[in-house]
């Protein structure tokens, strides 16, 4: 009964792997990661070894790659383009070396050529009399596809060889791939055009190389590295007996080879190279999934020969998988320090990229829609180095009937405030601001910043300490801090604590404009806060203002008006405002003045350079109180420019336009005249 089950499993695996081969080699749309394919193939190999009577020439273990596309003419390789056996551990590499030594009865250490295993598409390029005449894909190893016109468009593939000592007929074998930078740029361009993006550089390279229109291939950032010679006829000089030396010869003829290729002696050096390049993998400009080790001596290669589909003298040592299959169990929504809502996938734990992964980012609602992912789906996740694991694609063929859509929240999961997504932006954000615990630290940092309450000594790290120690939850708590509480914190001494308490006391006296800015109301910057303060003059009037009344303020449109109105209608926010007033936060009354009576009403000014007597923001506030509009750039409509020290291009432009220029002394004299 067990034998029947095993034989049935063999047939099942063959069907599965043949389908995956078709998806990978013909359609260029793999639905499983390489590690899963390798696992299934090794299971089939083990079963076929156990049941030799089950041999079939049609088994995936007996072929390399897939059939040629019918859209291309076919090319028969005079020397088959074989695949490589894989090693997945140091023990398997040691066993590979031992087999070679035993077969050769070789007592001394063996030289190996170490080559990064590029993640692209294997091709054969033929040069006749030094000119490129044909290029083909590997196909099934015996028959490939004629892609000559496409390969001719690849920037680093020479159309003619350099020098004059090249063979009459030279077949070069190598890998067409897409560098990481080119891949990222291509995906950005695809996204801008609302076209499908590529899952990884390998898919992008394969899809680009196998275009029927070579103009499309020419527009893609492809590259080529040679890794061996195939059939060579009528060489001018005998070829070197070293594989590494032959690569250098190809380079002399103008063919690109990977600069990270090295020649080493003995298996320990091979393992050292594997470890070293693995550590640098993420910093490389191209994707690799392992290292290919080849016996360097060509005569020894010939003695070792081949098995059915692979040379005995070479092996691919694979890195730990960066992609794996797992199940999406659920999606939770996290709120960041700035209010950004990020969906996080909770996964069936799986070992990938050297660690066990149980969570992956889904980025935003647009990414969820692009992937078409649902809860309970089988997904492919990717983790490269320290990069946060992410879902690459969904295995739709394995979608269960009970798969559930992912519903993005309309209200913050932390504070229940409304979630807003601004048109044109990918990230949705919580509108809670001060009342959202997830945004607490960021809100307090903004509150204490120089342009807000300007609390000297209250930096980012101290804010984090105060919140983590649960001493501060809202800005009101800052003004209730005691010396005992402050010196209880790590790295806070008595002197710095006293200085902070003094700064907090000083900060209680502010302006209404700075107070409003410090509250962190969405899209209310310094200028808008100043305009609101000048228009309403009191916080009480602002609390009861309608959206229509808010829109009467200069530079306040409907969106900003709605944000201000919503903020002032939230009880928790009002409690913070009242609490700040209760602990002594105050500001001078703003006089009720007719705009026409303001001395700078209708005038536009620009500030540039540094001021020694006050900050530019303070000067800006005074000018606005005097009726001026403070602009950020100089134009012909500018009435005058205030130029402090190290004034630059704005001063130059003002001078060329004939705009009046004030220095700091003139500004201070004018403020004194106005009682400021």
């Amino acid at each position: 009964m067990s034998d029947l089950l095993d034989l049935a499993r063999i047939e099942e695996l063959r069907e599965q792997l043949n389908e995956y081969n078709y998806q990978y080699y013909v359609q260029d749309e793999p639905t499983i990661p390489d590690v899963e394919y390798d696992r299934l193939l090794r299971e089939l190999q083990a079963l076929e070894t156990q049941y030799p009577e089950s041999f079939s020439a049609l088994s995936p273990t007996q072929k390399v790659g897939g059939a040629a596309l019918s859209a291309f003419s076919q090319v028969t390789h005079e020397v088959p383009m074989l695949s490589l056996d894989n090693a997945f551990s140091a023990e398997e590499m040691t066993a590979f070396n031992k087999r070679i030594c035993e077969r050769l009865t070789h007592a001394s250490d063996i030289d190996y050529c170490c080559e990064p295993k590029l993640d692209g598409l294997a091709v054969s390029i033929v040069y006749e009399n030094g000119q490129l005449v044909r290029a083909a894909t590997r196909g099934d190893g015996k028959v490939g596809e004629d892609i000559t016109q496409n390969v001719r468009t690849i920037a680093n593939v020479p159309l003619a060889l350099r020098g004059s000592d090249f063979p009459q007929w030279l077949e070069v074998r190598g890998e067409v791939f897409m560098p990481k930078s080119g891949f990222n740029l291509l995906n950005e361009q695809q996204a801008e055009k609302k076209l499908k993006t590529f899952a990884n550089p390998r898919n992008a390279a394969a899809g680009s190389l196998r275009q029927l229109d070579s103009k499309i291939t020419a527009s893609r950032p492809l590259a080529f590295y040679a890794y061996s010679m195939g059939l060579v006829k009528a060489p001018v000089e005998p070829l070197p007996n070293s594989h590494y030396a032959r690569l250098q010869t190809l380079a002399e003829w103008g063919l690109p080879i990977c600069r990270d290729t090295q020649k080493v002696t003995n298996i320990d050096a091979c393992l050292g190279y594997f470890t070293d390049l693995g550590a640098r993998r993420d910093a490389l400009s191209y994707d690799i999934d392992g290292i290919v080790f080849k016996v360097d001596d060509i005569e020894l290669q010939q003695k070792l020969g081949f098995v059915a589909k692979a040379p005995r003298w070479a092996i691919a040592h694979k890195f730990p998988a960066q992609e794996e299959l797992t199940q999406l169990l659920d999606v939770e929504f996290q709120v960041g320090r700035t209010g950004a809502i990020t969906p996080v996938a909770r996964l069936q734990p799986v070992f990938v990229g050297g660690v066990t992964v149980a969570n992956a980012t889904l980025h935003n609602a647009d990414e969820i829609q692009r992937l078409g992912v649902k809860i309970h789906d089988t997904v492919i996740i990717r983790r490269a180095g320290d990069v946060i694991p992410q879902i690459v694609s969904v295995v739709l063929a394995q979608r269960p009937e009970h798969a559930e859509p992912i519903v993005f929240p309309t209200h913050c999961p932390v504070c229940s405030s409304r979630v807003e997504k601004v048109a044109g932006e990918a990230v949705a954000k919580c509108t809670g601001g001060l009342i959202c615990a997830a945004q607490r630290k960021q809100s307090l940092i903004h509150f204490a910043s120089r342009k807000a309450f300007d609390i000297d000594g209250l930096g980012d790290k101290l804010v984090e300490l105060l919140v983590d120690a649960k001493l501060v939850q809202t800005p009101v708590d800052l003004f209730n801090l005691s010396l005992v509480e402050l010196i209880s914190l790590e790295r806070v001494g008595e002197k710095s604590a006293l200085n902070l308490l003094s700064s907090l006391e000083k900060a209680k006296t502010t302006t209404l404009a700075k107070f409003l800015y410090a509250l962190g109301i969405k899209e209310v910057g310094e200028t808008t806060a100043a305009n609101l303060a000048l228009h309403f003059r009191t916080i009480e009037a602002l609390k009861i203002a309608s959206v229509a009344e808010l829109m009467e303020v200069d530079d306040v449109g409907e969106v900003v008006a709605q944000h201000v109105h919503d903020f002032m209608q939230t009880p928790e926010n009002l409690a913070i405002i009242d609490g700040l007033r209760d602990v002594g936060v105050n500001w001078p009354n703003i006089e009720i003045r007719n705009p026409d009576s303001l001395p700078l009403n209708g005038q536009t000014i620009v500030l540039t350079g540094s001021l020694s007597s006050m900050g530019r923001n303070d000067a800006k506030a005074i000018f606005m109180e005097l009726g001026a509009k403070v602009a950020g750039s100089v134009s012909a409509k500018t009435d005058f420019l205030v130029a402090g020290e190290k004034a630059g291009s704005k001063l130059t432009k003002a001078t060329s336009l004939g705009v009046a220029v004030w220095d700091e002394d003139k500004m201070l004299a004018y403020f004194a005249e106005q009682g400021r």
Side-chain angles (χ1 to χ4, degrees), residues 311-537:
R312 291 193 179 96
W313 43 267
I315 197 166
H317 190 183
K318 293 291 203 69
F319 289 126
Q322 290 187 306
E323 291 186 349
E324 258 292 3
L325 280 178
T326 191
Q327 186 181 28
L328 175 59
L329 303 177
D330 200 0
V331 174
E332 295 180 5
F333 293 89
Q334 295 182 347
V335 186
R337 293 177 60 163
T338 62
I341 310 292
T342 303
V344 177
R346 303 305 184 194
L347 308 167
Q348 184 67 40
V350 63
F351 193 76
V352 58
V355 300
T356 298
V357 171
N359 306 308
T361 179
L362 278 166
H363 299 291
N364 51 56
D366 291 345
E367 179 70 359
I368 291 172
Q369 183 177 7
R370 185 187 72 80
L371 289 168
V373 64
K374 294 184 177 183
I375 296 171
H376 305 305
D377 268 340
T378 296
V379 295
I380 298 174
I381 63 166
R382 179 176 177 83
R383 180 187 181 274
D386 295 327
V387 176
I388 298 172
Q390 58 184 333
I391 293 176
V392 175
S393 59
V394 179
V395 184
L396 293 175
Q398 297 186 30
R399 171 167 285 171
E401 293 183 1
H402 63 288
E404 304 171 20
I406 298 170
V407 180
F408 214 88
T410 57
H411 290 78
C412 175
V414 174
C415 69
S416 299
S417 297
R418 182 172 53 85
V419 169
E420 178 185 69
K421 182 180 177 184
V422 178
E425 294 183 6
V427 178
K429 290 187 175 183
C430 163
T431 58
L434 286 173
I435 67 172
C436 183
Q439 301 176 65
R440 184 168 292 149
K441 292 179 181 177
Q442 192 65 35
S443 296
L444 289 167
I445 289 169
H446 172 77
F447 183 88
S449 65
R450 183 171 56 84
K451 295 178 181 179
F453 266 67
D454 193 16
I455 304 173
D456 189 33
L458 187 59
D460 297 7
K461 291 184 178 179
L462 184 52
V463 167
E464 292 189 6
L465 284 174
L466 290 167
V467 173
D468 291 343
K470 295 183 171 53
L471 294 176
V472 174
Q473 292 187 339
T474 74
V476 178
D477 299 327
L478 290 171
F479 296 98
N480 289 322
L481 287 170
S482 68
L483 179 62
V484 173
E485 288 174 326
L486 286 171
I487 62 176
S488 70
L489 297 172
E490 185 179 358
R491 297 191 298 276
V492 176
E494 183 174 348
K495 183 177 180 180
S496 58
L498 287 170
N499 288 339
L500 176 59
L501 291 173
S502 175
S503 296
L504 285 164
E505 189 63 32
K506 180 182 176 183
K508 287 181 180 179
T509 299
T510 183
T511 65
L512 178 56
K514 287 189 173 185
F515 181 84
L516 294 176
Y517 174 70
L519 294 177
I521 304 170
K522 190 173 177 62
E523 294 192 42
V524 174
E526 294 175 85
T527 300
T528 303
N531 289 338
L532 287 168
L534 289 171
H535 185 91
F536 289 100
R537 298 185 298 279

Side-chain angles (χ1 to χ4, degrees), residues 522-577:
K522 190 173 177 62
E523 294 192 42
V524 174
E526 294 175 85
T527 300
T528 303
N531 289 338
L532 287 168
L534 289 171
H535 185 91
F536 289 100
R537 298 185 298 279
T538 68
I539 192 70
E540 288 72 25
L542 190 58
K543 286 180 182 179
I544 61 174
S546 66
V547 171
E549 289 170 331
L550 287 162
M551 289 176 64
E552 294 175 5
V553 179
D554 288 345
D555 298 326
V556 173
E558 185 176 358
V559 172
V560 176
Q562 190 66 57
H563 286 317
V564 176
H565 182 266
D566 290 348
F567 186 94
M568 293 298 174
Q569 297 303 307
T570 303
E572 292 87 349
N573 291 333
L574 295 177
I576 290 172
I577 291 173

Side-chain angles (χ1 to χ4, degrees), residues 11-28:
E11 291 304 314
E12 180 185 10
L13 286 169
R14 286 174 177 169
E15 288 183 15
Q16 276 186 287
L17 291 168
N18 279 328
E19 176 62 22
Y20 292 146
N21 276 333
Y22 176 76
Q23 294 168 353
Y24 189 92
Y25 291 105
V26 179
Q27 295 185 318
D28 292 326

